[in-house]
Structure formats: C-alpha cells, structure tokens
C-alpha cells in the first residue's frame, strides 16, 4: 500500500517541513462524504491508502461519478483556485484508508506566499485538467474492455496494490455503463488470464498483459504526471 502522497512528496523538502506541523493523518471510512455540492471547503485531503470517488450532481438531483482521487492527488483544489465551494462536486470514500488532512485556509495562505508550493500545486492542476480531458476522449472513443483495463491499472497505481476491493456496481458508475456490461467485461479479462474476480474484489494476475489490453490513455496520463511533477509512477 502507498505510504505517502506523491503530490506532497513532490514538494521541496524545506517547503514540506514548513507545512508538516499544519497537517494531521486521519482514517477515512467507506461511504464517508468529505464535501457535498455547494459546501464551502474547510479542509483539504491528500490520500495515502484510500480511494475517493468524485461525483457530479445534476440539477435534477441525479449523480454521475467523474473520477477518483488517490495517492497522487488531492481533494479540495477549489480552495486555492479562486473559489471555496464545491459547486456540483461531491467526494465520497470508496476504498477506506488513511489520508493527510489540512485546513483549507492554511493551504491557501501557503499558496499565496510560497512560490515553490504554488508552482507544484499549479503543475498538479495542469496534470489534473489533462487527465479530465483525456477521460472525455477515452469515454467517447475506446471500448469498455480497454477503459476497464485502464481504470484497474490506475486504481492499482494509486493504492500500490494488485488486489482491489471494488464492487461491479461501483465500476459500472465509474465507467458509465450497466452493471451487466462490467460483469461481462470482467469475465472476458479473467478468461484471458489478466485478472481474477471475487466477491467485491478484483486481483490483477498479469499486469503487463493488462497494460497491453488497456488503451493509450493510461500511458498518456502517466507520462503527463511524470513530466509535470516528476512522479515515479512505474510499478
């Protein structure tokens, strides 16, 4: 499992030491909601061993999951980007674990006064926007098999684990398809010897094969994070 947040690790050592005493490690439980639509962001989170689902709420109250945040990202980017509210965004814990928490106003103070920290956060914002843009193209063009392989790889990277405790229902929301489509695709990947499925559990058996089954988006996003933040995302 991941023992550090790569975004925090990307900060210069002296910058991290300046904010270290302003952070605390917390344990987050499955289903816990960190922020609801319209709420002011009071705290930001840097995941260590958890996965956080990002959902968007539409005007009619329906929701769709737009992505996940893990050990290479943060929750609460609005806090230093000119707005303190979550707008339509909600953050829900999907894989329980640990995270580092910090008061949003303290991070904003550092963002305003510390150029080195600001540079890292702005580069992260650029990488995150690139990821969202790639997601749009991926969802429009690539097959479910390729998208699912990519999603499993990215989740595995964030958790530093080949065994993911995720339900088919959750995956269906993340990939925007019916649950039956997820089950059928999982069986196909399992038949190829790439993964092994259990009750609310998917284990990667052949990582190289899963990478070959994935779409180009997996490598594109990984390289963009590496380029901007010097992340070491190789597994």
């Amino acid at each position: 499992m991941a023992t550090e947040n790569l975004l925090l690790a990307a900060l210069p050592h002296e910058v991290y030491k300046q904010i270290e005493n302003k952070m605390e490690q917390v344990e987050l439980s499955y289903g816990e909601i960190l922020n609801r639509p319209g709420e002011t962001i009071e705290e930001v989170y840097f995941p260590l061993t958890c996965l956080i689902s990002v959902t968007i709420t539409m005007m009619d109250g329906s929701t769709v999951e737009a992505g996940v945040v893990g050990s290479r990202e943060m929750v609460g980017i609005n806090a230093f980007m000119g707005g303190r509210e979550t707008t339509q965004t909600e953050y829900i814990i999907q894989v329980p674990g640990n995270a580092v928490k910090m008061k949003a106003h303290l991070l904003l103070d550092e963002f305003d006064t510390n150029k080195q920290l600001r540079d890292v956060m702005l580069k992260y914002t650029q990488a995150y926007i690139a990821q969202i843009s790639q997601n749009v193209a991926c969802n429009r063009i690539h097959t479910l098999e390729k998208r699912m392989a990519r999603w499993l790889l990215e989740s595995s990277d964030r958790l530093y684990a080949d065994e993911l405790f995720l339900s088919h229902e959750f995956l269906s929301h993340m990939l925007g398809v019916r649950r039956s489509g997820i089950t059928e695709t999982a069986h196909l990947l399992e038949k190829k010897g790439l993964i092994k499925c259990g009750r609310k559990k998917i284990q990667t058996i052949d990582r190289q094969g899963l990478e070959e089954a994935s779409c180009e988006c997996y490598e594109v996003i990984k390289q963009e994070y590496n380029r901007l933040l010097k992340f070491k995302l190789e597994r």
Side-chain angles (χ1 to χ4, degrees):
M1 298 292 284
T3 57
E4 66 176 357
N5 179 277
L6 294 182
L7 184 55
L8 291 177
L11 294 171
H13 179 71
E14 63 275 13
V15 174
Y16 178 79
K17 297 302 290 185
Q18 289 176 14
I19 65 172
E20 185 177 19
N21 64 349
K22 300 176 182 179
M23 300 183 294
E24 64 173 309
Q25 186 166 315
V26 294
E27 186 173 345
L28 301 175
S29 304
Y30 171 77
E32 185 175 350
I33 299 176
L34 301 183
N35 291 108
R36 290 180 170 85
E39 289 183 345
T40 298
I41 298 175
E42 301 292 346
E43 296 168 322
V44 297
Y45 295 83
F46 298 87
L48 301 175
T49 61
C50 61
L51 275 184
I52 301 170
S53 175
V54 182
T55 69
I56 303 296
T57 303
M58 308 304 288
M59 291 184 67
D60 63 0
S62 61
T63 62
V64 60
E65 277 152 312
V68 291
V69 172
S71 61
R72 67 190 188 195
E73 290 121 353
M74 66 169 291
V75 166
I77 191 173
N78 310 51
F80 61 82
M81 292 302 293
R84 293 284 300 279
E85 296 78 25
T86 60
T87 60
Q88 297 96 344
T89 309
E90 185 170 87
Y91 299 95
I92 307 172
I93 307 303
Q94 288 292 351
V95 175
N98 297 325
V100 171
K101 180 175 72 172
M102 183 178 183
K103 294 293 184 181
H105 71 89
L106 295 178
L107 179 63
L108 179 59
D109 289 343
E110 293 291 337
F111 182 85
D112 288 340
T113 59
N114 190 316
K115 183 181 183 303
Q116 289 180 300
L117 181 141
R118 183 165 62 252
D119 287 347
V120 171
M121 291 301 171
L122 289 178
K123 286 179 180 179
Y124 162 65
T125 302
Q126 185 177 344
Y128 192 64
I129 291 173
Q131 180 179 181
I132 293 172
S133 301
Q134 195 73 30
N135 285 347
V136 172
C138 184
N139 291 338
R140 176 66 178 85
I141 297 173
H142 295 141
T143 65
L144 178 56
E145 180 182 351
K146 290 181 178 295
R147 290 165 52 211
M148 184 170 177
R150 173 202 170 190
W151 199 93
L152 292 173
L153 288 167
E154 290 188 339
S155 297
S156 178
D157 286 349
R158 288 179 170 95
L159 291 171
Y160 282 76
D162 290 326
E163 194 172 70
L164 303 174
F165 293 91
L166 303 167
S167 68
H168 285 191
E169 183 177 1
F170 169 63
L171 284 173
S172 71
H173 288 305
M174 290 306 307
L175 295 172
V177 298
R178 295 180 180 272
R179 182 176 176 177
S180 58
I182 293 296
T183 300
E184 181 180 345
T185 304
H187 286 164
L188 180 61
L189 294 174
E190 188 172 30
K191 187 176 181 179
K192 292 181 178 182
L194 306 181
I195 64 173
K196 181 179 180 180
C197 298
R199 179 172 172 78
K200 294 186 178 181
K201 180 175 68 174
I202 300 178
Q203 181 179 5
T204 298
I205 302 300
D206 180 357
R207 183 177 178 85
Q208 182 176 345
L210 196 62
E211 289 184 8
E212 292 172 356
S214 174
C215 57
E216 66 197 65
C217 302
Y218 173 67
E219 283 295 333
V220 168
I221 293 302
K222 185 167 69 172
Q223 290 173 13
E224 188 69 359
Y225 271 79
N226 285 340
R227 180 182 72 84
L228 290 167
L229 291 158
K230 313 304 179 185
F231 283 179
K232 297 179 180 179
L233 297 180
E234 303 294 339
R235 288 287 312 281

